[in-house]
């Protein structure tokens, strides 16, 4: 996770926390203490100090993913969403707690850089829509474009506002 709560219950991004290493930080989901991981192998992040299964959040995300998240205010990033334990369809969920990459104005924005199974894609969509959220997916297709697996449709070729159609 890239954000945590400080002792005053303020949301803090890992980049700021690294500059304040003596402070204590807590998980936004379970409120257990987290520690900073700031090495050379993985991108800097918070991790639970003690083994905890409040959610199975995976910090193994790309710089592309993290840079997209950082375009939004911290309060909109990694928002913890939970299915109500009284939901009559609770047994249909693989997970009852998820962290939306971004939650903004009722929209969950998911950034996807790596392959995702259709099952996981459907699970996330079902989870978020069950909570009344609309889901927007942004896929990193740069390599596919560079390798000409997808192409820009000619009629949009001279459009300079970052929109277009691809096939």
């Amino acid at each position: 996770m890239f954000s945590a709560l400080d002792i005053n219950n303020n949301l803090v991004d890992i980049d700021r926390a690294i500059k304040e290493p003596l402070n204590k930080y807590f998980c936004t989901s379970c409120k257990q203490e987290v520690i900073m991981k700031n090495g050379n192998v993985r991108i800097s992040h918070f991790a639970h100090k003690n083994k905890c299964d409040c959610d199975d959040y995976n910090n193994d995300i790309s710089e592309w993913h993290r840079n997209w998240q950082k375009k939004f205010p911290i309060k909109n990033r990694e928002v913890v969403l939970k299915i109500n334990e009284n939901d009559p369809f609770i047994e249909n969920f693989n997970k009852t707690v998820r962290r939306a990459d971004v939650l903004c104005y009722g929209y969950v924005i998911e950034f996807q850089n790596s392959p995702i199974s259709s099952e996981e894609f459907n699970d996330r969509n079902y989870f978020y829509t069950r909570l009344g959220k609309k889901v927007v997916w942004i896929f990193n297709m740069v390599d596919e474009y560079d390798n000409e697996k997808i192409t820009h449709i000619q009629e949009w070729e001279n459009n300079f506002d970052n929109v277009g159609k691809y096939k």
Side-chain angles (χ1 to χ4, degrees):
M1 69 191 90
F2 300 100
S3 56
L5 300 171
D6 67 13
I7 58 172
N8 296 317
N9 213 32
N10 296 313
L11 199 54
V12 177
D13 185 84
I14 186 67
D15 295 334
R16 184 174 129 212
I18 289 170
K19 296 172 186 168
E20 302 168 359
L22 300 178
N23 291 348
K24 279 192 172 187
Y25 298 99
F26 304 90
C27 175
T28 57
S29 182
C30 69
K31 310 300 187 251
Q32 297 292 318
E33 189 173 355
V34 294
I35 56 174
M36 290 180 279
K37 300 278 188 154
N38 185 24
N40 296 325
V41 177
R42 292 176 127 189
I43 196 166
S44 299
H45 63 280
F46 291 105
H48 286 92
K49 185 175 182 178
N50 299 311
K51 187 163 176 66
C52 177
D53 61 353
C54 71
D55 62 34
D56 60 357
Y57 186 75
N58 184 348
N59 291 300
D60 205 13
I61 70 168
S62 69
E63 188 175 341
W64 174 88
H65 188 134
R66 177 80 169 126
N67 286 338
W68 270 105
Q69 281 183 311
K70 288 168 91 172
K71 293 181 185 304
F72 294 86
I74 189 171
K75 68 179 184 171
N76 298 103
R77 297 183 235 153
E78 294 186 329
V79 178
V80 176
L81 297 171
K82 298 177 183 182
I83 293 295
N84 185 318
E85 60 188 41
N86 296 323
D87 188 305
F89 298 103
I90 196 163
E91 69 278 352
N92 296 337
F93 294 98
N94 289 335
K95 298 179 182 176
T96 58
V97 177
R98 287 191 180 269
R99 292 176 193 263
D101 286 341
V102 170
L103 178 63
C104 194
Y105 301 109
Y107 286 87
V108 167
I109 304 173
E110 288 286 293
F111 301 107
Q112 196 63 39
N113 188 47
S114 58
I116 183 172
S117 70
S118 58
E119 292 82 10
E120 179 63 16
F121 180 84
N122 291 334
D123 283 347
R124 290 191 205 176
N125 284 321
Y126 180 58
F127 180 93
Y128 295 131
T129 56
R130 185 72 186 160
L131 292 174
K133 310 300 181 203
K134 295 177 184 175
V135 186
V136 175
W137 287 85
I138 297 178
F139 292 91
N140 183 354
M141 302 299 283
V142 171
D143 288 343
E144 286 77 3
Y145 183 78
D146 289 346
N147 294 323
E148 298 180 355
K149 292 181 180 178
I150 61 172
T151 57
H152 204 239
I153 295 176
Q154 189 65 35
E155 65 194 70
W156 291 77
E157 213 45 55
N158 295 322
N159 196 333
F160 298 107
D161 60 1
N162 294 327
V163 299
K165 291 184 180 179
Y166 297 84
K167 65 178 179 175

